[in-house]
């Protein structure tokens, strides 16, 4: 028993445990560790947010550019505004937003011009299109170039309307040729019809002007006018037919001219022969005798077509046997006779023999 008691008795020196709470102390290492963990978590959150923001900005930018490509300006502006607000430091986003707003304004101006054109008000459209084109080049905004084809269409339609009005006025062939060149470069509905109208007017003017020259027998000038017209309207049947008509009339006229020329040459030869051999005629003459003096007087006329001068009258006195007993030569006064002009002559011969008759032997003259 004593042994058991002594075994169960505790000794004051035996080890023991204290289960009461101990006060924890924050060491520098622990503090650094906590700060580091907080920093890592914060940086991770910020980094994650930045990555998420960048991803959204990229999505908004892509969506905005895609909407702008299809001209959905409101949607494009909305997406790009979000992106620009999220990243205000990105100049490219603000530039894209500005470009979209500018393109939207530009499209409205182009639409306004289309409405004006639809209402027939095209007087100042050409100038406004030029201003818009200049603005497009100055801004170098790619979105503006999307309206380029519309601007070209508006410009060409306005030009067609302007030319159609101009055709109501009387234009020269040169002016019409300029209009034809302008229309030929336009690929719009109605351009082909207007081109045919201009061609018809060129042909009509060519025929009118050539007809005036033809009435004056100016065949070369008439053909030149038609050739100019055919240069702009090479397949115009009426103009081609008129060219053939001019050539036919020219050939007929030339044949008539050849005939007239041949006849004129024959007539000229006949006239020349007449002027040289028969131009002068003695209109009247008489002989008077007193004792042994025989006096001859008379008048002549120039029946030719040319003036003549120095007309000499040769006359003789004959006896009963036909022998010349005396002869003389006298000159007509005046010395120069125009066609249908008349002159006089007088002369005397002294004859001692018996004579039977007096005759004018010959008349000679010079052609002027």
């Amino acid at each position: 028993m004593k042994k058991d008691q002594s075994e169960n008795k505790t000794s004051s020196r035996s080890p023991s445990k204290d289960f009461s709470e101990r006060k924890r102390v924050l060491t520098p290492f622990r503090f650094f560790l906590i700060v580091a963990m907080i920093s890592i978590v914060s940086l991770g959150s910020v980094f994650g947010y930045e990555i998420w923001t960048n991803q959204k900005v990229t999505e908004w930018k892509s969506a905005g550019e895609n909407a702008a490509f299809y001209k959905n300006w409101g949607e494009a502006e909305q997406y790009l505004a979000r992106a620009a607000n999220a990243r205000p430091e990105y100049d490219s986003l603000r530039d894209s937003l500005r470009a979209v707003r500018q393109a939207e304004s530009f499209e409205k101006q182009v639409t306004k011009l289309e409405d004006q054109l639809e209402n027939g008000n095209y007087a100042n459209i050409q100038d406004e299109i030029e201003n818009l084109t200049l603005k497009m080049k100055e801004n170098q905004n790619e979105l503006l170039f999307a309206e380029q084809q519309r601007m070209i269409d508006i410009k060409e339609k306005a030009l067609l309307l302007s030319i159609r009005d101009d055709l109501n006025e009387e234009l020269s062939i040169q002016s019409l040729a300029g209009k034809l060149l302008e229309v030929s470069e336009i690929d719009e509905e109605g351009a082909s019809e207007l081109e045919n109208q201009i061609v018809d007017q060129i042909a009509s003017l060519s025929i009118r002007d050539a007809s005036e020259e033809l009435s004056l027998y100016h065949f070369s000038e008439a053909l030149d006018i038609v050739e100019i017209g055919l240069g702009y309207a090479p397949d115009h049947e009426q103009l081609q037919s008129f060219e053939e008509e001019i050539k036919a009339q020219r050939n007929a006229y030339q044949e008539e001219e050849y005939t007239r020329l041949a006849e004129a040459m024959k007539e000229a030869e006949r006239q020349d022969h007449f002027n040289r051999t028969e131009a002068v005629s003695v209109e009247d003459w008489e002989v008077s005798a007193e004792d042994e003096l025989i006096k001859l007087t008379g008048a002549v006329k120039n029946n030719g077509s040319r003036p003549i001068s120095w007309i000499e009258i040769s006359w003789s006195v004959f006896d009963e046997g036909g022998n010349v007993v005396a002869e003389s030569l006298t000159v007509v006064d005046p010395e120069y006779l125009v066609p249908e002009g008349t002159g006089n002559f007088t002369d005397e011969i002294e004859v001692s023999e018996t004579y039977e008759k007096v005759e004018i032997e010959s008349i000679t003259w010079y052609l002027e």
Side-chain angles (χ1 to χ4, degrees):
M1 289 294 294
K2 289 182 178 178
K3 186 177 180 180
D4 295 333
Q5 290 177 353
S6 60
E7 291 178 355
N8 294 330
K9 188 177 179 180
T10 15
S11 173
S12 59
R13 294 181 179 181
S14 59
S16 62
K17 294 183 178 181
D18 188 359
F19 292 97
S20 61
E21 277 190 25
R22 294 181 183 179
K23 188 175 181 180
R24 295 182 179 181
V25 178
L26 184 62
T27 64
F29 175 76
R30 286 182 177 179
F31 178 77
F32 175 76
L33 184 62
I34 292 171
V35 171
M37 290 179 66
I38 292 173
S39 299
I40 291 172
V41 171
S42 298
L43 289 174
S45 298
V46 172
F47 184 73
Y49 176 77
E50 291 297 322
I51 292 177
W52 178 85
T53 301
N54 288 338
Q55 182 179 359
K56 296 304 291 183
V57 167
T58 301
E59 292 176 359
W60 291 334
K61 182 175 182 294
S62 177
E65 291 176 347
N66 186 63
F69 179 80
Y70 290 102
K71 300 183 181 180
N72 297 325
W73 307 119
E75 184 179 345
E77 186 175 353
Q78 182 180 4
Y79 280 120
L80 291 173
R82 288 181 184 176
N85 291 332
R87 285 287 182 260
E89 68 275 11
Y90 289 179
D91 292 337
S92 61
L93 293 175
R94 291 197 301 273
D95 291 341
S96 296
L97 181 59
R98 189 183 306 110
V100 167
R101 290 170 177 170
Q102 187 181 58
E104 183 178 11
S105 174
F106 195 82
E107 184 190 34
K108 289 180 180 178
Q109 294 181 66
V110 175
T111 301
K112 181 181 177 181
L113 292 180
E114 286 180 332
D115 294 339
Q116 291 180 9
L117 188 63
E118 189 69 23
N119 295 328
N121 183 15
Y122 57 86
N124 299 319
I125 283 184
Q126 297 285 348
D127 294 336
E128 294 183 29
I129 287 292
E130 293 298 330
N131 293 333
L132 289 177
T133 302
L134 182 62
K135 182 189 297 184
M136 182 176 63
K137 292 179 179 178
E138 289 176 348
N139 290 295
Q140 292 297 312
N141 184 349
E142 294 182 358
L143 295 176
L144 300 184
F145 286 91
E147 301 300 312
Q148 189 171 16
Q149 187 57 50
R150 287 179 66 194
M151 292 166 58
I152 293 175
D153 292 341
I154 293 172
K155 185 176 181 179
E156 291 183 345
K157 289 178 180 177
L159 182 59
L160 285 179
L161 291 174
S162 176
I163 293 175
R164 185 173 285 111
D165 277 355
D166 290 341
L167 293 183
N168 294 327
E169 304 294 332
E170 185 172 349
L171 302 176
S172 65
I173 293 178
Q174 288 73 21
S175 296
L176 288 171
K179 302 295 182 185
L180 182 62
L181 180 60
E182 289 179 322
V183 174
S184 65
E185 297 175 351
I186 297 177
D187 185 19
E188 285 287 336
E189 182 180 357
S192 178
E193 179 182 352
L194 189 59
E195 187 174 350
N196 292 334
Q197 183 179 349
I198 296 174
V199 167
D200 287 340
Q201 287 199 16
I202 290 176
S204 178
L205 278 179
S206 299
I207 292 174
R208 184 199 69 183
D209 295 345
S211 296
E212 293 178 358
E213 297 293 341
L214 189 60
S215 65
L216 301 174
Y217 303 103
H218 297 164
F219 300 103
S220 297
E221 290 80 355
L223 284 174
D224 288 342
I225 293 172
V226 171
E227 286 296 330
I228 292 174
L230 286 172
Y232 302 113
D235 299 324
H236 200 278
E237 294 182 358
Q238 188 177 2
L239 197 54
Q240 290 175 340
S241 298
F242 191 67
E243 181 185 32
E244 296 302 320
E245 180 182 343
I246 294 175
K247 291 179 179 179
Q249 290 193 31
R250 180 188 61 183
N251 293 337
Y253 181 82
Q254 287 176 344
E255 290 179 2
E256 292 177 359
E257 281 294 295
Y258 294 149
T259 302
R260 284 195 294 269
L261 181 60
E263 293 177 353
M265 291 178 65
K266 290 180 180 180
E267 177 62 20
E269 291 176 359
R270 189 191 68 78
Q271 286 287 342
D272 185 67
H273 179 74
F274 181 83
N275 288 332
R276 293 181 183 279
T277 60
E278 304 179 44
V280 179
S281 63
V282 177
E283 295 298 296
D284 63 81
W285 62 287
E286 62 181 21
V287 177
S288 61
E290 185 177 349
D291 298 330
E292 296 180 350
L293 190 63
I294 300 175
K295 185 176 182 180
L296 174 70
T297 59
V300 298
K301 179 181 180 181
N302 180 7
N303 299 302
S305 57
R306 292 170 57 182
I308 58 178
S309 63
W310 199 257
I311 304 172
E312 295 180 336
I313 307 294
S314 176
W315 59 291
S316 302
V317 179
F318 298 89
D319 58 15
E320 293 182 354
N323 300 313
V324 175
V325 295
E327 58 183 358
S328 182
L329 184 68
T330 186
V331 177
V332 173
D333 183 41
E335 295 181 1
Y336 186 89
L337 291 183
V338 298
E340 300 298 320
T342 59
N344 300 306
F345 62 89
T346 181
D347 196 15
E348 294 178 347
I349 298 178
E350 186 175 350
V351 180
S352 58
E353 302 176 21
T354 303
Y355 65 91
E356 178 67 22
K357 61 179 179 179
V358 175
E359 290 184 1
I360 295 177
E361 296 284 351
S362 64
I363 305 174
T364 60
W365 61 88
Y366 293 94
L367 287 176
E368 295 297 321

